[in-house]
Amino acid sequence: MSALFEPYRLRDLTIPNRVWMAPMCQYSATPEGPETGAPNDWHFAHYAARAAGGTGLILVEATAVSPEGRITPYDLGIWNDAQVEALRRITRFLVSQGTIPGIQLAHAGRKSSTDLPWEGGAPIGPDALGWQPVGASPLPFDEKHPVPTELTADQISDVVGQFADAARRALDAGFEIAEIHGAHGYLINGFLSPHSNHRTDAYGGSYENRVRFALEVVDAVREVWPEDKPLFFRISATDWLADGGWSADDTVRFAADLHAHGIDLLDVSTGGNVSGVRIPTGPGYQVPFAARVKAATSLPVGAVGMITDPEQAEKILANGEADAVLLGRELLRNPSWARQAARELGGEVRVPNQYHRSV
């Protein structure tokens, strides 16, 4: 059997294959009013198509734990019950197709309050549906972003509680997996990296202090997330700086800490915390970081980043570099990538009765 189409078990949950959809923001939610942050017909059609296409696990895009935690005013949120009800529509359909529904819980930190990417993505203020960003330290992401307000210890505690509340709502909405977003320069990543964390209190300075907030979030979410359900963490394995940033060595060390605190899989990405840094992209360019964590720790890992070809994905798993692959842009291009890959590799995926003529 193809390794890509072997089921994968974490805790009491079996994921039908190793073709997983990475969280990708759609920036398509209503920005204000009673339906703020709730998914709509676009989100339903988007995720439903990938489930019908055979994807084993779909991680719904970065979903903000508070209004101020959104990247843009058009992001999904999970801070109220109206959002929960709208998310249930999506999870019900995913389950009906044999796909595991997952959700990424997020706070954008100093990179919040920006315009739509296709409108330029520039920071916006209260006069344009924006707000004042917060961060680990009063250091802007770049010269275009405003100086974020440094979170106090009490405010950090509040955000930890928001992640726990979001996890409770995610469970109520029907999700089987929750992922904590600790990557790409957003709030948790901003605390982890010495490039963006210049604090002098218990949340800054040493490695132990810089990871404190992240582990507090993990502990709070794990406490309310059922023991039989997996919890993921997405990490930027490197800031891509020669020195002065978060490194691959830090990631390996942190992976062991995360595992000890109840994380079941590390979703390994890179970058996003340093503006203008040069990233040497190419097919599978982030896979070596996942492979290093897998070789050095007992924590399962997912690989992501320019994985586009079925044979490429199969080789990553067959070589033991990762336990699953997460596809992003390729699933935007081809919602039925999993079914196509199964045909090429001799694997099997569930095909909806309505699509049997396509087999």
Side-chain angles (χ1 to χ4, degrees), residues 15-87:
I15 304 168
N17 59 53
R18 317 294 181 95
V19 181
W20 300 354
M21 183 174 176
M24 291 176 286
C25 289
Q26 296 298 291
Y27 307 108
S28 297
T30 301
E32 56 184 340
E35 295 182 352
T36 298
N40 52 40
D41 287 348
W42 174 267
H43 299 92
F44 180 84
H46 171 65
Y47 292 114
R50 279 82 194 162
T55 307
L57 163 65
I58 288 177
L59 287 169
V60 167
E61 63 203 77
T63 305
V65 301
S66 69
E68 299 77 24
R70 294 172 292 171
I71 304 167
T72 78
Y74 306 89
D75 287 13
L76 290 187
I78 192 165
W79 64 80
N80 66 43
D81 293 339
Q83 295 159 346
V84 169
E85 184 57 37
L87 286 164

Side-chain angles (χ1 to χ4, degrees), residues 45 55 109 294 345 358:
T55 307
K294 185 167 176 59
L345 299 173
S358 71

Side-chain angles (χ1 to χ4, degrees), residues 108-337:
R110 67 177 183 162
K111 293 176 75 175
S112 71
S113 191
T114 61
D115 203 354
L116 293 166
W118 48 86
E119 298 293 340
I124 55 175
D127 59 336
L129 300 175
W131 55 90
Q132 170 61 29
V134 299
S137 298
L139 301 169
F141 175 63
D142 60 21
E143 66 278 1
K144 296 179 181 178
H145 281 70
V147 175
T149 299
E150 180 177 280
L151 289 171
T152 67
D154 286 344
Q155 290 170 328
I156 290 171
S157 180
D158 289 343
V159 175
V160 171
Q162 290 167 355
F163 270 94
D165 290 342
R168 290 190 191 94
R169 292 191 177 97
L171 183 65
D172 191 28
F175 289 100
E176 296 287 338
I177 291 174
E179 176 173 275
I180 296 168
H181 197 347
H184 301 158
Y186 300 124
L187 186 61
I188 292 176
N189 189 193
F191 272 82
L192 293 175
S193 173
H195 173 79
S196 47
N197 183 346
H198 292 190
R199 300 176 72 99
T200 57
D201 64 0
Y203 292 94
S206 67
Y207 166 87
E208 291 80 7
N209 283 358
R210 287 185 284 107
V211 303
R212 188 184 307 277
F213 171 54
L215 294 180
E216 286 180 354
V217 170
V218 170
D219 289 344
V221 171
R222 187 74 266 182
E223 185 174 349
V224 302
W225 196 246
E227 279 295 314
D228 62 342
K229 296 186 187 300
L231 181 61
F232 292 4
F233 191 99
R234 173 163 264 202
I235 188 112
S236 281
T238 176
D239 282 340
W240 293 104
L241 290 172
D243 65 292
W246 184 263
S247 70
D249 289 341
D250 293 324
T251 296
V252 170
R253 180 179 180 182
F254 189 46
D257 292 338
L258 289 170
H259 202 189
H261 283 255
I263 290 296
D264 299 291
L265 182 137
L266 192 65
D267 177 1
V268 184
S269 186
T270 66
N273 192 45
V274 182
S275 176
V277 69
R278 183 178 179 275
I279 299 177
T281 60
Y285 71 103
Q286 295 176 146
V287 174
F289 295 97
R292 183 172 173 188
V293 172
K294 185 167 176 59
T297 75
S298 56
L299 182 63
V301 298
V304 64
M306 296 186 71
I307 299 171
T308 59
D309 180 76
E311 290 188 4
Q312 174 197 18
E314 178 76 10
K315 184 177 179 181
I316 291 167
L317 300 183
N319 288 347
E321 296 174 285
D323 299 283
V325 295
L326 291 99
L327 276 64
R329 291 174 177 84
E330 192 61 22
L331 274 174
L332 296 183
R333 289 186 282 265
N334 182 2
S336 297
W337 190 93

